[in-house]
Amino acid sequence: MTDQMSPSERYAAARRRAADQATALGSFREMYDFDLDPFQIEACQSLEAGKGVLVAAPTGSGKTIVGEFAVHLALREGRKCFYTTPIKALSNQKYSDLLKRYGPGKVGLLTGDNSINPEAPVVVMTTEVLRNMLYAGSSTLGGLGYVVMDEVHYLSDRFRGAVWEEVIIHLPESVTLVSLSATVSNAEEFGDWLDTVRGDTEVIVSEHRPVPLWQHVLAGRRMYDLFADEQQREVNPDLTRLARMENSRVGRPQDRYRRGRNGRDGGRDRDREDGGRTRSRVWTPSRVEVIERLDAEGLLPAITFIFSRAGCEGAVQQCLYAGLRLNDDDERALVRQIVEERTASIPDEDLHVLGYFEWLDALERGIAAHHAGMLPTFKEVVEELFVRGLVKAVFATETLALGINMPARSVVLEKLVKWNGETHADITPGEYTQLTGRAGRRGIDVEGHAVVLWQRQLDPGQLAGLAGTRTYPLRSSFKPSYNMAVNLVSQFGRHRSRELLETSFAQFQADKSVVGISRQVQRNEEGLTGYRKSMTCHLGDFDEYALLRRQLKDRETELARQGSSQRRAASAAALEKLKPGDVIHVPSGKFAGLALVLDPGLPAGRSNGNRYDHHDGPRPLVLTAERQVKRLAQIDFPVPVEPVERMRIPRSFNPRSPQSRRDLASALRTKAGHHVPERRRKQRSDAADDGEILRLRAAIRAHPCHGCDEREDHARWAERYYRLRRDTKQLERRIEGRTNTIARTFDRVTAVLTELGYLKGDQVTEDGRRLARLYGELDLLASECLREGVWEELKPAELAACASALVFEARAGDDALPPRLPTGEAKHALGEMIRIWGRLDALEEAHRIHQTEGVGQREPDLGFAWPAYRWASGHGLDAVLREAEMPAGDFVRWTKQLIDVLGQIAEAAPDGSRVRGNARKAVDTLRRGVIAYSSVG
């Protein structure tokens, strides 16, 4: 090509190359042995021109190249660059990558667990660490030129998302922001906001996948393509035909024998031709069959997403029992060598407890699980082996898709439904994109493959919709917290803080949404004019007549509500009197019938006689006559209930033991089975004797419009008019509610802080400065406990037990007995914490601060107090995990969060307080054994 150019063209091309090499981007490109993609070049050029950038691109497309260019620019200019990530594992991985390139002198790491060279020109950190540095005015911020926010779409996260917005708003104006996001449908909107708060920001969106992704459905022995065309728009007609034929057969008696355990089909009939017609018999392939099929097709390594930790572990066991081996002898030896090196610091007695040998056996075969319940060291070994091609089949929960760089050739989805914490729900297009985005390794695979397993009632069209919708919207979850409020007021004063919060992305989105609502209000007002004409009556004022009818209906509804409220109050009072051992008849609900009270379930925060300020009444835990242990709600008791018998509950009774439940339920039926519940008598309605109702009925009959022949027709138009007017008023309230919403919430938060003495006008008090050093959901509760000296007399292990209630949140529901607690001073202190929380909860209610809106203090969870106490007291891992009935990974995660909050408590404790020293001692007693195994350094 060069030979065909004229001398002048060759000279011009040489000039361009020389000019390109003289730029920062030119020298940066020479560091890679591959060409950059157009979106990467565009983003880097914008950065070099001094602009901020938002890069939205699919998983695995190489967004981090732009972040690495920011590091390159910072070092070239003699400035600092902070590279932030949402999770510690990602921080550790990025630290390792940059360390290899720039050396230990130029790269540092700051996470909750590690602090390595924090004054280096390039520091990798979690986003929370940067937020805390900004509020503390850390000297480390000096000379900061660039901040990379990897996975910035985390600002949608309900629990942690506010941190990203806090950082974006509070970074100095001189800092250039590099935001890296998954593909989101409203990138332009997010970019507009960044432009508003950070200055000139370029939005670069790329939906191109560097490795093409092909979608499949594995049904029985056959792998179907989901789409019939390369553009992936037309659903495969063969798959549609199969789904129609198989789904029409569901429920037929002659097909039921094919149902195996866990919903899998037991039949293994091949497709066969019979008289020119295909009789298709398909089933959901087993996990072993799936891996064997992918191996035969050359589609390993693969990640199979199973939305359950137990399911992941079970899948590995199934592969082991089936004798599946994916590694040869040389690979097995290398796996053992790597694993032994990485786990050398773990004592032998702990290895047995952690299931090390079964885990190693699976790894040697090339098989592993990956989920949050695993020991962090074990997870990191799995990640390393998978990236090196020594683990070829990983069974993972969806948390893997949100974290570290661990691409595969194929991704398998067992089901398109997952538990979201409240119910089983279909996965969203965004979740599908995130999960399948792991398929296809750049520079290794020509194409990636997403495989969905056949399930009964699978709809190929719906699946195609999931696969075809590549984006999801970014929604702010920003809410002011108590800690945020005192830090803001301390730096900017109350008025300026309020203005800052109104620049949040949450308020930006709320303000934009008002425009559409205003248009709807205008349309409604036009409709109201038409309805009013249609309800006009020639006999009189129909508006007045309709008002009388509405007042009558409202009065009847009010009386019915009052009666219901009185019945609920009587029911709550009766439930409050129940004691363990009372035998009752549950009057209604799913568990109606005879039941034995195991625990009355009185609210822990009750502080006002029979009033329930912090709970919806008592929630007794009962054993039913059908051997079920259930936590009932007040809805199960529409009428008051009284004990019909008393029984002794054996001390040895264990609600988790089927035999124990069976024996006690049998004794219950023997003792009280002869009791027949009283029939509920219907009471006379209050409306029959109500004077207001009698007056309204008389006024309606006397009104002129009552005699109109078209009365009911007019009434229908009037009903439509009032309904539309009510809807319009609601829209107007929404407009009012969405204007300055964040600032109004901030006002309520500061009002609480002022009442408690943390703020005094624009001044932050000594107590407020203590609160400014406490981060977390229960920041205000922790500060109040320090102020009231609740923890002053505690020993280190007891303090660890109490502090655990500030961080722990149980995964299970509340169908369980109260947690085991340490005795003595620790138990008393935990009780005081619940009392203080109750007082704060009532104060928040008075100031209209609601936890459902993401603001306020949740109730402390005491479920980790006993494991924390035992571990801090020096007990072994085996005993602690066995008593806690908790996976090792969860235990490590909660203990590390506990160590973090104890560190905050030590910093915030008043001078001369024993809590400061005991908190540090508690950290030392907790950071041992399995907790001390460090990931980095």
Side-chain angles (χ1 to χ4, degrees), residues 154-335:
Y154 256 74
L155 68 76
S156 288
D157 185 86
R158 192 157 55 100
F159 302 106
R160 299 172 57 212
V163 176
W164 274 255
E165 289 190 51
E166 288 179 81
V167 169
I168 292 169
I169 291 170
H170 299 312
L171 276 174
E173 288 182 17
S174 58
V175 175
T176 301
L177 186 66
V178 181
S179 305
L180 309 179
S181 169
T183 310
V184 292
S185 55
N186 60 335
E188 287 75 15
E189 179 190 34
F190 186 48
D192 287 345
W193 174 68
L194 287 173
D195 210 58
T196 303
V197 295
R198 299 298 316 164
D200 198 359
T201 302
E202 201 73 33
V203 179
I204 292 103
V205 177
S206 172
E207 295 191 14
H208 172 71
R209 279 183 54 96
V211 180
L213 178 65
W214 298 101
Q215 311 276 348
H216 311 280
V217 174
L218 183 56
R221 294 188 177 90
R222 183 172 172 184
M223 182 97 76
Y224 290 85
D225 290 334
L226 176 59
F227 296 102
D229 60 329
E230 290 192 5
Q231 290 73 35
Q232 299 196 7
R233 291 174 186 156
E234 183 185 342
V235 179
N236 184 349
D238 290 344
L239 186 59
T240 304
R241 194 179 307 114
L242 171 72
R244 187 168 55 246
M245 187 166 56
E246 287 298 313
N247 291 337
S248 66
R249 199 164 26 218
V250 171
R252 297 191 319 181
Q254 62 266 40
D255 291 300
R256 284 180 188 159
Y257 78 95
R258 301 179 55 76
R259 295 284 290 173
R261 293 188 64 188
N262 299 323
R264 291 199 176 89
D265 290 339
R268 291 291 185 267
D269 297 348
R270 292 179 179 274
D271 294 352
R272 71 173 189 268
E273 295 294 325
D274 185 4
R277 295 176 59 198
T278 303
R279 297 177 58 194
S280 176
R281 295 284 176 143
V282 298
W283 64 93
T284 303
S286 72
R287 289 156 177 167
V288 174
E289 288 174 327
V290 171
I291 300 303
E292 288 177 336
R293 177 64 188 270
L294 294 177
D295 191 21
E297 297 273 352
L299 297 181
L300 294 180
I303 300 171
T304 301
F305 284 108
I306 302 172
F307 303 122
S308 139
R309 299 178 183 183
C312 293
E313 296 291 347
V316 171
Q317 292 303 314
Q318 289 164 19
C319 292
L320 293 181
Y321 293 152
L324 195 63
R325 295 180 186 275
L326 304 175
N327 283 344
D328 59 29
D329 290 343
D330 291 340
E331 289 171 325
R332 286 170 63 88
L334 185 54
V335 166

Side-chain angles (χ1 to χ4, degrees), residues 623-640:
L623 171 71
T624 70
E626 284 71 38
R627 309 190 300 276
Q628 292 176 297
V629 173
K630 290 293 173 184
R631 177 81 64 184
L632 302 182
Q634 192 163 346
I635 196 172
D636 297 310
F637 299 92
V639 294

Side-chain angles (χ1 to χ4, degrees), residues 88-89 92 342 359 370 374-386 896 933-936:
K88 293 171 185 175
N92 293 338
R342 290 295 305 274
W359 173 69
H370 188 288
M374 292 172 63
L375 190 72
T377 304
F378 283 17
K379 276 201 300 183
E380 288 158 14
V381 170
V382 170
E383 291 158 11
E384 179 182 343
L385 294 176
F386 189 81
K896 286 190 172 183
Y933 311 150
S934 181
S935 306
V936 178

Side-chain angles (χ1 to χ4, degrees), residues 313-606:
E313 296 291 347
V316 171
Q317 292 303 314
Q318 289 164 19
C319 292
L320 293 181
Y321 293 152
L324 195 63
R325 295 180 186 275
L326 304 175
N327 283 344
D328 59 29
D329 290 343
D330 291 340
E331 289 171 325
R332 286 170 63 88
L334 185 54
V335 166
R336 179 173 282 271
Q337 177 187 333
I338 293 170
V339 172
E340 289 177 347
E341 286 174 1
R342 290 295 305 274
T343 59
S345 60
I346 304 179
D348 289 345
E349 60 269 21
D350 285 356
L351 291 178
H352 284 281
V353 177
L354 297 168
Y356 167 82
F357 299 101
E358 297 85 351
W359 173 69
L360 175 60
D361 181 28
L363 290 178
E364 288 182 327
R365 295 166 182 251
I367 303 161
H370 188 288
H371 56 76
M374 292 172 63
L375 190 72
T377 304
F378 283 17
K379 276 201 300 183
E380 288 158 14
V381 170
V382 170
E383 291 158 11
E384 179 182 343
L385 294 176
F386 189 81
V387 170
R388 294 178 65 165
L390 296 171
V391 165
K392 299 177 174 66
V394 167
F395 298 94
T397 56
E398 71 270 25
T399 52
L400 183 145
L402 301 172
I404 44 84
N405 180 28
M406 195 169 151
R409 180 167 295 167
S410 303
V411 162
V412 179
L413 271 68
E414 284 200 345
K415 294 181 179 178
L416 300 176
V417 174
K418 72 167 192 172
W419 178 256
N420 64 8
E422 296 176 357
T423 183
H424 285 94
D426 294 337
I427 65 172
T428 64
E431 288 168 334
Y432 185 89
T433 301
Q434 194 84 35
L435 294 167
T436 57
R438 293 284 164 194
R441 297 164 297 173
R442 188 168 189 174
I444 302 174
D445 299 323
V446 177
E447 56 193 25
H449 299 269
V451 181
V452 175
L453 301 192
W454 169 266
Q455 301 287 346
R456 287 184 178 274
Q457 300 300 318
L458 177 74
D459 182 351
Q462 185 181 0
L463 175 57
L466 275 179
T469 308
R470 307 224 177 242
T471 59
Y472 55 97
L474 198 59
R475 293 279 175 253
S476 173
S477 60
F478 183 80
K479 293 287 186 301
S481 68
Y482 295 109
N483 171 276
M484 185 194 303
V486 291
N487 275 299
L488 284 174
V489 173
S490 174
Q491 289 190 38
F492 307 107
R494 197 175 295 202
H495 180 70
R496 174 74 180 122
S497 298
R498 208 173 184 276
E499 290 179 342
L500 271 174
L501 291 175
E502 287 187 323
T503 66
S504 67
F505 187 44
Q507 191 59 59
F508 185 83
Q509 288 189 310
D511 290 344
K512 285 192 73 174
S513 70
V514 164
V515 177
I517 300 174
S518 297
R519 291 199 190 103
Q520 183 62 48
V521 168
Q522 291 170 4
R523 287 193 292 268
N524 285 7
E525 287 172 346
E526 292 170 5
L528 286 169
T529 303
Y531 287 170
R532 193 166 188 83
K533 287 180 183 176
S534 299
M535 63 184 268
T536 303
C537 177
H538 67 287
L539 295 178
D541 186 350
F542 201 87
D543 197 7
E544 183 182 73
Y545 178 73
L547 178 60
L548 288 170
R549 289 173 59 135
R550 243 185 12 266
Q551 287 174 341
L552 174 63
K553 184 179 179 182
D554 290 347
R555 180 60 180 168
E556 290 172 338
T557 303
E558 182 188 356
L559 288 175
R561 191 182 298 118
Q562 285 177 2
S564 176
S565 177
Q566 289 166 0
R567 287 192 295 274
R568 277 200 306 273
S571 174
L575 289 175
E576 188 199 21
K577 296 174 183 175
L578 294 180
K579 296 180 175 58
D582 282 344
V583 177
I584 60 173
H585 269 285
V586 180
S588 68
K590 187 177 177 182
F591 305 105
L594 205 61
L596 174 64
V597 177
L598 302 175
D599 173 50
L602 296 180
R606 192 185 63 192

Side-chain angles (χ1 to χ4, degrees), residues 698-829:
I700 287 171
R701 285 193 295 270
H703 197 282
C705 292
H706 192 64
C708 179
D709 292 339
E710 297 179 348
R711 180 187 68 197
E712 294 307 314
D713 192 36
H714 292 326
R716 279 192 292 274
W717 283 111
E719 184 61 33
R720 291 172 190 165
Y721 173 83
Y722 289 121
R723 192 182 304 127
L724 185 60
R725 192 172 74 171
R726 185 184 65 233
D727 293 346
T728 305
K729 286 187 179 297
Q730 286 178 346
L731 290 174
E732 289 170 344
R733 282 196 294 271
R734 281 173 65 189
I735 291 173
E736 185 183 342
R738 293 189 183 192
T739 307
N740 304 322
T741 47
I742 303 298
R744 278 204 306 275
T745 305
F746 174 73
D747 290 342
R748 293 170 190 162
V749 167
T750 53
V752 169
L753 292 173
T754 300
E755 187 168 332
L756 291 172
Y758 289 94
L759 294 177
K760 193 173 183 180
D762 272 2
Q763 299 300 312
V764 178
T765 64
E766 182 61 37
D767 290 329
R769 286 190 284 275
R770 181 182 307 120
L771 174 58
R773 294 192 288 271
L774 294 166
Y775 301 92
E777 277 189 283
L778 297 179
D779 47 7
L780 187 58
L781 175 61
S783 183
E784 285 291 284
C785 288
L786 283 172
R787 182 157 71 170
E788 294 194 16
V790 171
W791 302 325
E792 201 64 35
E793 303 301 322
L794 300 182
K795 297 172 183 174
E798 294 172 329
L799 179 57
C802 291
S804 74
L806 301 173
V807 294
F808 180 72
E809 285 188 84
R811 294 180 75 235
D814 60 347
D815 288 350
L817 290 173
R820 185 175 180 182
L821 302 175
T823 55
E825 288 292 334
K827 187 171 184 178
H828 174 72

